[in-house]
C-alpha cells in the first residue's frame, strides 16, 4: 500500500546522504573557523533529517537505504577533486547544492507520490532547507 511512498522517501533519503557527504568535503576544505561551524550546523540538520526520513520509511513497513546509492557515490567520489578551497566558492557550492539539488530536485522526486504524513515530513524538511539557503546567502554577502 505504501510501496510508492517508501520508494520516493528512499530516493529523498539518498539525497540527504549526498548532502551530508558534500558538506563533509566542504567542511574539510575551509580553514575559516566560523564558516566551518556554520557548515557543520547545516550538515547536522541533514543528519537529523535523514534519521527522521529513515524512521518514517520504517514506520511504513519499508527498509531505509543507508547511503547515497551508486550514482551518488560516483558523484561523491568525483567531488573530491572539484571541491573549492576559497571561502566564497565553498559557500557558492553549498548554496547551489542546497537550493538546486536539496530543494528543487527533491520537490521533483516526491511530487504527488506521498501519503499525507510523509508529505508533511518532506515539506518540513524542505522548509528547513530553505532556511539553509537563506543562511548561506547571508554568509556570501
Amino acid at each position: 500500500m505504501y510501496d510508492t511512498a517508501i520508494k520516493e522517501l528512499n530516493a529523498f533519503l539518498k539525497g540527504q546522504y549526498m548532502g551530508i557527504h558534500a558538506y563533509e568535503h566542504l567542511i574539510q576544505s575551509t580553514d575559516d573557523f566560523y564558516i566551518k561551524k556554520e557548515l557543520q550546523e547545516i550538515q547536522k540538520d541533514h543528519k537529523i533529517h535523514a534519521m527522521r526520513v529513515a524512521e518514517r520509511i520504517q514506520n511504513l513497513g519499508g527498509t531505509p537505504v543507508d547511503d547515497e546509492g551508486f550514482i551518488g557515490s560516483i558523484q561523491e567520489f568525483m567531488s573530491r577533486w572539484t571541491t573549492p578551497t576559497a571561502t566564497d566558492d565553498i559557500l557558492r557550492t553549498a548554496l547551489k547544492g542546497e537550493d538546486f539539488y536539496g530543494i528543487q530536485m527533491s520537490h521533483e522526486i516526491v511530487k504527488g507520490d506521498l501519503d499525507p504524513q510523509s508529505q508533511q515530513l518532506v515539506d518540513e524538511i524542505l522548509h528547513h532547507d530553505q532556511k539553509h539557503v537563506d543562511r548561506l546567502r547571508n554568509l556570501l554577502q
Side-chain angles (χ1 to χ4, degrees), residues 6-87:
I6 291 167
K7 179 180 159 206
E8 299 304 319
L9 286 171
N10 264 322
F12 183 74
L13 183 55
K14 286 179 186 179
Q16 292 296 311
Y17 287 129
M18 287 175 64
I20 291 165
H21 293 136
Y23 275 102
E24 191 63 41
H25 294 296
L26 296 174
I27 290 164
Q28 291 173 2
S29 295
T30 185
D31 293 326
D32 183 315
F33 180 77
Y34 178 72
I35 298 300
K36 189 178 294 252
K37 290 306 258 180
E38 290 290 317
L39 296 176
Q40 287 170 335
E41 285 298 313
I42 294 171
Q43 183 190 44
K44 184 168 65 173
D45 286 344
H46 284 293
K47 288 178 180 180
I48 292 167
H49 295 162
M51 271 188 352
R52 291 181 65 202
V53 173
E55 286 174 1
R56 179 67 188 145
I57 292 167
Q58 290 168 335
N59 290 341
L60 292 173
T63 302
V65 296
D66 57 4
D67 62 24
E68 69 272 6
F70 180 70
I71 299 298
S73 41
I74 289 174
Q75 289 173 336
E76 194 253 334
F77 179 76
M78 296 301 288
S79 75
R80 291 179 189 181
W81 288 280
T82 59
T83 302
T85 54
T87 299

Side-chain angles (χ1 to χ4, degrees), residues 110-121:
V110 298
K111 187 167 58 179
D113 295 328
L114 298 176
D115 60 281
Q117 191 174 350
S118 297
Q119 186 65 54
Q120 181 181 355
L121 172 62

